[in-house]
């Protein structure tokens, strides 16, 4: 048994599928001349097997994502069947190199040669050759390639880490949960797990060491426990817990259409965070009063090129229509940090979270933002959309962004294209800089939404995805609470509103402090909505205000929590 960090609550019982990069050793000996033919035959078998696998992947991709997306695998097949490569390897084997060494050295030489060339097309081929080469070497050595594609019904994925794009490939029919060695509660795979309503524990450090393929695993993301091959009585008691959770869910669903109003009549807006059009289903099911954060970057992932203006327009319009007259805050592309887009060929950075991320990249690639804003504005004619920019640090940036919106509006007007001219424009407050100049920024903007996932990591200087310091990452730290209070106060002084779309907003206990500080809108994973609503509906705003004022004046995080626990116990 071990534990980690609960990324998405729930209980799952299933069979482990360990997504582990197998380690392998390349032979370093010399062949006897009698072994040459057999080695050439093994190499040719490996080519055949690789082509067979790639064709299957290509067909699946074509069926799931379309022919255009499947083209990349055509390229992979061309690499695997490249005659020159084949000849070079065969020559090396004839020179008495074992097949695996001959193949991996030939791949390495080709990669080094292409990487020297200053041609983006060939640089892209380097990645293909490396990828296909690794597959061929593994096939040669008889090592199975792990893939999320073909897992069985009732699988719990065990991995060192899952990238957001791997997480988005998960088929919910077959996968019932996942456990990773690294990551924190606000790493993006964790956030996606919550939107998928998939139980998950991250940052468990030892998951891939303790669990073998096929083990029975109980993933208890309620009490933060992972049980490996437990006895029948433990499994039975977990089945009972699952049934209780279902029951509780049914009870909470009765609140769906009730407003989030405190006992003394103060109303808060409760919205959902979404990453895809499909997430609006969960938002509607759980009674969201709007979308407080649409993370558009997921629309850009799992593909080989930028979505076009038309594709983006379709997605934004679909979200606007799915929420009908309720507001939808669309955040512009926030790529970088832990979110990569392979086709953009982003540089490796030493500090990606402090790097070329979000609007910083969009300022340097204006066509990306221009296309996205055109699509959002066009879709604004079909619902109640708002535009939000991530990672803003200064008034200069805010003004520049406003100017870009104005330019795009002028462009659409001159083309005679309809849009909602009253669309609100706001920013995420997720950098300490934005907090410090919140009073100035709000003069430029219609609203703020506090991104506590990043704000916590930047204020406390604690990486949000690093499990080694996960215990230091706490939005309840007085430093973070004071920042939140300042942002809300600045917006209210200017007669504007502040929401929160960081994960803190969905924490039912923290929500009491946030409500007491006067936060106007709470946006969270759809599954958290009923609980937060229940808690806020059972308190008095006047009492929450007094408690929150005391909370921001506590000297330590522990004191904040003690005060909050005492308040909860007394109410
Ligand atoms: C945040 O930083 O709090 C936020 C909501 O944005 P993301 O988690 O996508 O960085
Ligand atoms: Mg953020």
């Amino acid at each position: 048994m071990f534990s980690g960090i609960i990324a998405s609550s729930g209980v799952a019982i299933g069979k482990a599928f360990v997504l582990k990069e197998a380690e392998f050793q390349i032979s370093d000996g010399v062949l006897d001349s009698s072994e040459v033919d057999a080695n050439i035959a093994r190499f040719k078998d490996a080519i055949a097997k690789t082509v067979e696998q790639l064709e299957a992947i290509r067909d699946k991709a074509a069926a799931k994502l379309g022919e255009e997306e499947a083209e990349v695998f055509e390229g992979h097949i061309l690499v695997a069947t490249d005659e020159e490569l084949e000849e070079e390897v065969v020559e090396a084997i004839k020179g008495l190199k074992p097949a695996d060494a001959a193949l991996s050295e030939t791949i390495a030489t080709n990669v080094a040669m292409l990487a020297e060339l200053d041609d983006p097309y060939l640089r892209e081929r380097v990645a293909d050759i490396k990828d296909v080469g690794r597959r061929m070497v593994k096939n040669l050595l008889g090592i199975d390639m792990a893939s999320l594609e073909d897992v069985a019904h009732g699988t719990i994925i065990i991995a060192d880490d899952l990238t957001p794009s791997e997480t988005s490939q998960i088929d919910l029919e077959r996968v019932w949960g996942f456990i990773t060695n690294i990551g924190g509660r606000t790493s993006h795979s964790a956030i996606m797990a919550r939107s998928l309503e998939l139980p998950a524990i991250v940052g468990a450090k030892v998951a891939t060491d303790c669990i073998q393929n096929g083990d029975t695993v109980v993933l208890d993301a309620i009490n933060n426990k992972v049980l490996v091959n437990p006895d029948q009585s433990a499994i039975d008691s977990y089945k009972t817990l699952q049934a209780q959770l279902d029951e509780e869910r049914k009870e909470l669903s009765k609140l769906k259409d009730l407003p989030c109003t405190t006992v003394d009549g103060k109303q808060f807006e409760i919205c959902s965070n979404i990453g895809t059009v499909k997430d609006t289903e969960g938002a509607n099911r759980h009674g969201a009063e709007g979308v407080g954060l649409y993370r558009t970057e997921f629309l850009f992932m799992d593909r080989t090129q930028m979505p076009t203006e038309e594709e983006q327009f379709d997605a934004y319009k679909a979200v606007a229509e799915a929420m009908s007259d309720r507001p939808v805050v669309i955040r512009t592309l926030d790529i970088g940090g832990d979110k990569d887009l392979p086709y953009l060929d982003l540089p490796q950075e030493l500090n990606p979270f402090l790097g070329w991320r979000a609007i910083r990249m969009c300022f340097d690639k204006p066509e990306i933002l221009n296309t996205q804003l055109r699509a959002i504005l066009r879709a604004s004619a079909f619902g109640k959309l708002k535009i939000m920019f991530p990672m803003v640090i200064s008034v200069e940036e805010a003004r520049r962004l406003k100017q870009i919106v104005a330019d795009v509006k002028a462009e659409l007007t001159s083309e005679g294209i309809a849009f909602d001219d009253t669309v609100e424009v706001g920013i995420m407050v997720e950098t300490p800089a934005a907090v410090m100049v919140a009073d100035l920024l709000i003069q430029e903007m219609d609203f703020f939404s506090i991104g506590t996932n990043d704000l916590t990591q930047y204020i406390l200087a604690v990486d949000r995805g690093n499990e080694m310091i996960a215990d230091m990452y706490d939005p309840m730290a007085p430093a973070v609470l004071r920042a939140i209070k300042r942002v809300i106060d600045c917006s209210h002084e200017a007669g504007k509103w502040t929401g929160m779309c960081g994960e803190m907003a969905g924490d039912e206990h923290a929500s009491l402090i946030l409500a007491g500080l006067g936060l106007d809108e709470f946006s969270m994973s759809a599954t958290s909505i009923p609980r937060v609503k229940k808690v806020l509906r059972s308190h008095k705003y006047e009492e929450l205000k007094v408690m929150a004022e005391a909370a921001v004046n506590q000297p330590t995080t522990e004191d904040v929590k003690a005060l909050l626990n005492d308040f909860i116990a007394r109410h």
Side-chain angles (χ1 to χ4, degrees), residues 188 331 334 357 391 428 430 451 453-454 464:
H188 283 95
R331 179 175 73 182
D334 181 10
R357 183 182 169 192
M391 283 295 288
M428 298 203 52
E430 49 186 349
N453 305 341
D454 279 313
R464 67 195 262 185

Side-chain angles (χ1 to χ4, degrees), residues 50-336:
T50 303
V51 172
E52 199 180 301
Q53 288 167 349
L54 291 171
E55 283 174 348
I57 294 173
R58 178 201 57 198
D59 293 348
K60 256 193 208 154
K64 208 169 145 188
L65 306 164
E67 284 300 334
E68 211 174 312
E69 295 301 313
E71 251 171 43
V72 62
F73 300 108
E74 272 316 324
H76 284 199
I77 293 169
L78 287 180
V79 174
T81 52
D82 186 290
E83 284 177 11
E84 267 178 48
L85 182 84
E86 184 176 333
E87 263 169 42
E88 280 176 57
V89 176
V90 169
E91 279 312 306
I93 297 174
K94 286 181 179 161
L96 301 183
K97 263 200 200 317
D100 55 332
L103 175 57
S104 60
E105 281 172 26
T106 308
I107 299 278
T109 319
N110 277 285
V111 162
M113 215 170 62
L114 287 177
E116 294 257 303
L117 305 174
D118 195 20
D119 175 328
Y121 170 75
L122 291 174
R123 262 212 317 272
E124 226 168 80
R125 298 226 343 142
V126 167
D128 288 349
I129 295 177
K130 270 189 190 164
D131 196 8
V132 176
R134 202 168 168 79
R135 180 177 287 279
M136 289 169 85
V137 172
K138 281 185 173 176
N139 282 331
L140 187 64
L141 294 170
I143 295 166
D144 279 338
M145 297 288 291
S147 153
L148 284 182
E149 287 284 321
D150 306 310
V151 297
H153 183 75
T155 291
I156 294 182
I157 296 173
I158 316 296
D160 190 41
D161 191 17
L162 284 177
T163 62
S165 81
E166 279 167 338
T167 314
S168 69
Q169 277 171 37
I170 286 176
D171 173 356
L172 292 173
E173 288 291 311
R174 305 193 221 177
V175 175
W176 292 356
F178 69 75
I179 306 167
T180 62
N181 290 343
I182 65 177
R185 211 186 125 71
T186 58
S187 50
H188 283 95
S189 52
I191 290 170
M192 290 175 78
R194 286 195 285 287
S195 92
L196 294 168
E197 303 185 20
L198 186 70
I201 287 183
V202 297
K205 296 186 182 117
V206 295
T208 54
D209 295 332
C210 296
I211 301 178
Q212 314 274 330
N213 259 333
D215 280 347
T216 297
V217 172
V218 170
L219 162 53
D220 172 1
I222 296 286
N223 305 299
N224 192 6
K225 279 186 210 158
V226 176
L227 274 58
V228 187
N229 294 324
D231 58 23
Q232 193 55 42
S233 71
I235 292 180
D236 291 344
S237 64
Y238 271 105
K239 288 197 169 148
T240 311
L241 177 59
Q242 277 181 319
Q244 282 167 358
L245 289 171
D246 277 348
E247 210 37 57
E248 192 195 2
R249 214 169 288 142
K250 271 190 215 131
E251 261 322 292
L252 283 169
S253 70
K254 294 182 184 153
L255 297 174
K256 180 174 168 275
D257 298 318
L258 298 177
C260 182
T261 310
T262 60
V263 176
D264 50 353
K266 166 87 175 165
Q267 190 163 344
F268 298 99
E269 195 177 352
I270 301 286
C271 297
S272 172
N273 292 348
I274 63 167
T276 62
V277 179
K278 203 166 172 354
D279 288 346
T280 56
E281 290 169 16
N284 283 325
R285 203 169 46 246
H286 293 287
E289 292 163 341
V291 168
L293 167 65
Y294 175 10
R295 287 185 168 91
T296 55
E297 48 277 7
F298 295 120
L299 182 66
F300 290 67
M301 291 176 181
D302 253 347
R303 5 179 343 128
T304 54
Q305 69 221 17
M306 280 280 163
T308 61
E309 181 182 320
E310 251 1 82
E311 283 174 288
Q312 293 189 52
F313 167 70
D314 287 346
Y316 307 152
K317 176 169 174 263
V319 169
E321 287 177 342
M323 301 308 288
S324 65
D325 56 345
R326 287 162 293 159
V328 174
V329 179
I330 303 193
R331 179 175 73 182
T332 62
L333 185 64
D334 181 10
I335 220 67

